[in-house]
Amino acid sequence: MLVTDEDYQNHKIFEELDRYSEFYKALAFSIFQYASLGTGAIFNSDSYVLSSMQGTLESIRMILKSGRINDAYALLRKFHDSSIINIYCAVYLKEHFSIENIVVEKIHAWLTGKEAIPEFRIMSQYIKGSDLVRPVHELLNKDDRYKALRKRCNNHTHYNFYHHVLLNDNEIYLDARKDWLNIMSRDVLNLVILHLGYVFYHNWQYLMSSDYLDALECQMQPEEGSQYWVAPFIQSMFDEVITPARPDLTALIKESTSMQLN
């Protein structure tokens, strides 16, 4: 397959990446109103992380379009890193924030550029050991898909095999190009599911539609039960992306919240 072939340029992964990036853009805007307790900031730090991750998805799409599959995998590794950073910060904040500890110094220091975030391995171990997200961690790690995915990303990033070099040459013919697009499609989906699974399990309020708060801002009485409504774009993401791939994850999130997630 050549990069200029119709089968390459019209592969489903490009529409999928558009879908994911638009979702991250909408979610970043939707949650901006929620304060990040423990950070000392007046803004929602998650919102900016999500916006950055949206940018990474857009970059992956752009690089894939030009036929640089190997470089796209290096960015997918970054997307994985960003997911773990976001999950780690959220869990760490919730476990350490209190009236006596209004500003959680470790996260505040990262946000203000005074201290680097821990390395990937340390953050992953912290998440694994947290009781707050243990059910979702155990569910998502009941097989080795994420270990294999991380290994693939590392192999591409470090040119561990010669065929990774060839996958970054967009002028030669490669039989394996379509296979790698299919693999990457699954890998991107699995990382989006990993990230959103933790986010919505741990921060149920991020599922919330704007109806309840919109009514309060307009000094109107919110409709009864509207505080439990799920934002339509989030419900659509579950219906069309998350639930078909991981119905077990959707079931777990539904069990953990009073939000009216279908």
Side-chain angles (χ1 to χ4, degrees):
M1 174 185 281
L2 291 169
V3 171
T4 54
D5 287 351
E6 186 175 339
D7 283 349
Y8 184 95
Q9 291 296 322
N10 293 329
H11 193 276
K12 66 176 183 175
I13 193 172
F14 297 111
E15 287 188 3
E16 292 168 349
L17 286 165
D18 285 338
R19 172 71 185 273
Y20 304 150
S21 61
E22 284 300 313
F23 178 83
Y24 272 81
K25 180 180 180 180
L27 186 61
F29 179 80
S30 176
I31 70 171
F32 189 78
Q33 61 193 316
Y34 299 109
S36 296
L37 299 178
T39 64
I42 60 174
F43 57 84
N44 186 310
S45 57
D46 285 347
S47 183
Y48 290 100
V49 174
L50 293 173
S51 183
S52 177
M53 294 174 74
Q54 172 205 347
T56 302
L57 290 168
E58 291 175 352
S59 296
I60 290 172
R61 187 191 190 283
M62 178 180 66
I63 290 173
L64 274 182
K65 268 290 185 180
S66 68
R68 311 293 188 182
I69 295 175
N70 175 264
D71 281 349
Y73 256 103
L75 279 176
L76 188 62
R77 184 177 185 266
K78 178 189 175 187
F79 186 85
H80 192 192
D81 289 348
S82 300
S83 300
I84 296 302
I85 289 170
N86 188 226
I87 297 161
Y88 166 80
C89 288
V91 173
Y92 194 94
L93 282 170
K94 186 160 285 189
E95 290 186 338
H96 291 83
F97 173 76
S98 66
I99 297 299
E100 295 77 23
N101 192 30
I102 294 178
V103 176
V104 179
E105 186 55 36
K106 191 172 189 65
I107 305 302
H108 177 71
W110 175 63
L111 291 173
T112 55
K114 297 176 182 177
E115 183 178 324
I117 203 75
E119 63 181 67
F120 183 90
R121 176 183 56 83
I122 293 174
M123 290 188 293
S124 297
Q125 287 298 317
Y126 186 90
I127 294 166
K128 180 180 179 180
S130 172
D131 290 336
L132 287 178
V133 291
R134 189 178 304 280
V136 70
H137 176 82
E138 291 178 349
L139 180 65
L140 289 172
N141 289 277
K142 65 181 182 181
D143 56 35
D144 66 349
R145 76 182 67 187
Y146 290 107
K147 289 182 180 179
L149 192 160
R150 185 70 178 184
K151 184 177 181 180
R152 264 192 303 279
C153 289
N154 288 336
N155 284 339
H156 277 276
T157 300
H158 301 298
Y159 277 165
N160 285 344
F161 298 95
Y162 183 65
H163 66 263
H164 297 133
V165 176
L166 299 180
L167 283 168
N168 225 40
D169 190 327
N170 64 358
E171 295 185 353
I172 62 175
Y173 182 93
L174 289 175
D175 288 330
R177 270 204 180 93
K178 186 173 182 179
D179 292 336
W180 274 106
L181 287 179
N182 290 335
I183 293 169
M184 189 164 201
S185 172
R186 292 193 297 271
D187 286 345
V188 175
L189 170 62
N190 280 326
L191 283 183
V192 167
I193 287 174
L194 170 83
H195 181 231
L196 297 181
Y198 277 103
V199 166
F200 290 132
Y201 180 85
H202 184 251
N203 295 297
W204 58 265
Q205 69 274 19
Y206 286 179
L207 292 163
M208 189 176 177
S209 74
S210 64
D211 297 82
Y212 183 80
L213 292 178
D214 287 346
L216 292 178
E217 289 177 2
C218 295
Q219 298 183 337
M220 297 172 59
Q221 179 65 33
E223 189 170 338
E224 185 176 354
S226 58
Q227 68 269 36
Y228 302 117
W229 293 353
V230 173
F233 78 96
I234 295 176
Q235 184 62 65
S236 177
M237 187 67 166
F238 272 90
D239 291 343
E240 299 172 14
V241 177
I242 299 174
T243 304
R246 294 301 301 261
D248 52 350
L249 179 60
T250 299
L252 178 64
I253 294 172
K254 288 172 67 174
E255 291 171 3
S256 70
T257 178
S258 298
M259 300 299 292
Q260 296 173 5
L261 180 65
N262 295 328

